[in-house]
């Protein structure tokens, strides 16, 4: 695909997409499952490599609600966001570190770290995730000195 075929992204688009990334984290972390699911297109997908594949808001919202209940003090820290125009909207990627409470929530540990690969669509409601794929690099709490399946 050439740049001429790609949708252009102006400064307002880029700011809206960065806001989408931030809202994703804050809404998930504060248990606002329905609002979090609304950040996806109606047929949007969230795929976790080696984990569940969620299709549509009907599966997204319950997933977010369960995770919020199961993980006290969960916090997503997202960085290195890259957004590029695409013929059907935009493509994005980011790094993420997910922190969570241990037992009673008084301690914090790294639950997982990895990266997102996103397809983004411009909708009447603003930019939304059409698909989001999360791939963990490792789970530090369970890795026992292993990274990408390789002993360190």
């Amino acid at each position: 695909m050439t740049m001429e075929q790609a949708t252009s992204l102006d400064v307002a688009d880029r700011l809206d997409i960065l806001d989408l990334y931030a809202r994703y984290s804050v809404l998930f972390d504060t248990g606002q499952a329905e609002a979090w699911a609304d950040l996806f297109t109606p047929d949007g997908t969230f795929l976790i490599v080696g984990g569940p594949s969620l299709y549509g808001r009907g599966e997204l919202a319950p997933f977010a609600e369960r995770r919020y209940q199961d993980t006290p003090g969960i916090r997503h820290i997202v960085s290195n966001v890259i957004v590029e125009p695409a013929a059907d909207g935009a493509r994005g990627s980011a790094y993420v570190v997910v922190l969570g409470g241990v037992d009673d929530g008084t301690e914090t540990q790294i639950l997982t770290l990895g990266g997102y690969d996103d397809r983004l669509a411009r909708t009447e409601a603003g930019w939304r995730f059409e698909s989001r794929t999360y791939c963990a690099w490792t789970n530090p709490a369970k890795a026992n000195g292993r990274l990408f399946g390789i002993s360190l």
Side-chain angles (χ1 to χ4, degrees), residues 72-85:
I74 192 170
R75 293 293 181 262
H76 288 70
I77 301 170
V78 178
S79 66
N80 300 355
V81 176
I82 296 175
V83 179
E84 297 176 339

Side-chain angles (χ1 to χ4, degrees), residues 14-128:
R14 290 179 181 280
L15 289 173
D16 288 346
I17 291 169
L18 289 175
D19 185 66
L20 175 68
Y21 276 69
R23 287 180 186 280
Y24 174 95
S25 298
V26 171
L27 294 173
F28 194 95
D29 295 348
T30 57
Q32 298 178 61
E34 292 293 332
W36 176 82
D38 285 341
L39 299 177
F40 290 80
T41 60
D43 60 348
T45 61
F46 180 41
L47 310 172
I48 300 173
V49 175
S53 297
L54 307 164
Y55 300 94
R57 292 181 182 153
E59 291 182 9
L60 291 164
F63 167 80
E65 181 62 34
R66 281 190 310 275
R67 289 295 174 118
Y68 178 74
Q69 296 299 323
D70 293 344
T71 314
I74 192 170
R75 293 293 181 262
H76 288 70
I77 301 170
V78 178
S79 66
N80 300 355
V81 176
I82 296 175
V83 179
E84 297 176 339
D88 58 350
R91 295 287 308 225
S93 65
Y95 296 167
V96 62
V97 176
V98 180
L99 304 174
V102 177
D103 298 327
D104 64 359
T106 58
E107 296 180 37
T108 301
Q109 71 178 9
I110 296 174
L111 299 177
T112 189
L113 42 96
Y116 291 120
D117 179 38
D118 303 313
R119 287 186 326 172
L120 306 161
R122 188 187 334 232
T123 71
E124 289 182 18
W127 284 95
R128 296 292 183 261

Side-chain angles (χ1 to χ4, degrees), residues 120-135:
L120 306 161
R122 188 187 334 232
T123 71
E124 289 182 18
W127 284 95
R128 296 292 183 261
F129 294 105
E130 188 171 42
S131 72
R132 172 161 258 205
T133 301
Y134 171 71
C135 184

